[in-house]
Amino acid sequence: MHFSLNVLPNTRKSFEKIIDNTSLEDLNKIPEGFNNNIIWNIGHIVVTEQLLGNKLSGNSTIVSNDLIEKYRKGTKPEAFVSQEEVDKIKVLLLSTIDNTTENYKNGLYKNYQEYTVSTTGNTLTNIDEALQFILFHEGIHLGIIMSLLKEVKK
């Protein structure tokens, strides 16, 4: 199996722990100097993985269109996120990776629409490159979340 698919569940468990150990208020807080919050960053990594993996391969996403529109690239927090939505995102953290792993095992990523990522300017041409980028992307957002946590816990 692809190495990234072994690492991603562990990375996602880090995000899950952050949700478990952070109050709903702090998940939603946007500290001075920031333009987003912890829960937006977590929702964003879930949505991005689904778009870069499933959507660009012509497969269905298991994330609702509402969540995609709320957390995709170019969005920002617009309203307080409810506990119900936080719980939904928490479930999606691991269920999306399980889905991607199954799709990978079943060879559902044969067709891939090339996509140039704005972060680095690299063009993703297949699922293996996408998975590598997804890990990098999630690392960026984990770092942002660590900075946000320091600010909201002051």
Side-chain angles (χ1 to χ4, degrees):
M1 183 179 329
H2 196 281
F3 178 74
S4 299
L5 292 172
N6 290 323
V7 177
L8 276 167
N10 298 330
T11 307
R12 293 294 180 92
K13 287 174 188 168
S14 297
F15 292 110
E16 191 176 49
K17 284 179 190 171
I18 291 166
I19 289 174
D20 289 342
N21 295 315
T22 308
S23 70
L24 182 61
E25 181 182 317
D26 284 348
L27 288 171
N28 277 281
K29 196 178 291 180
I30 303 174
E32 191 174 323
F34 290 83
N35 61 3
N36 55 43
N37 56 31
I38 294 166
I39 196 59
W40 181 89
N41 278 276
I42 296 173
H44 175 70
I45 59 111
V46 168
V47 164
T48 300
E49 181 272 332
Q50 285 288 287
L51 294 176
L52 293 179
N54 284 331
K55 186 159 186 168
L56 290 175
S57 296
N59 299 320
S60 299
T61 63
I62 64 168
V63 175
S64 71
N65 285 333
D66 287 343
L67 283 180
I68 290 171
E69 290 307 313
K70 190 171 184 177
Y71 295 102
R72 72 181 313 140
K73 179 178 81 171
T75 64
K76 61 182 181 179
E78 299 291 342
F80 191 86
V81 176
S82 69
Q83 186 63 53
E84 180 182 356
E85 188 168 317
V86 169
D87 294 342
K88 184 184 300 183
I89 290 168
K90 182 180 171 186
V91 168
L92 287 168
L93 277 169
L94 293 175
S95 64
T96 51
I97 298 304
D98 290 343
N99 173 260
T100 297
T101 301
E102 275 304 304
N103 287 353
Y104 192 89
K105 285 180 186 174
N106 293 325
L108 298 181
Y109 294 118
K110 298 287 185 231
N111 300 318
Y112 195 86
Q113 178 185 337
E114 287 188 7
Y115 179 76
T116 302
V117 293
S118 58
T119 314
T120 61
N122 293 94
T123 300
L124 308 177
T125 63
N126 59 56
I127 190 61
D128 294 317
E129 293 171 358
L131 289 169
Q132 290 174 26
F133 179 79
I134 288 164
L135 274 178
F136 166 75
H137 179 257
E138 294 196 9
I140 289 171
H141 285 279
L142 184 58
I144 293 167
I145 290 169
M146 295 304 185
S147 295
L148 284 162
L149 279 169
K150 284 181 184 177
E151 291 299 313
V152 301
K153 302 279 185 181
K154 281 185 176 177

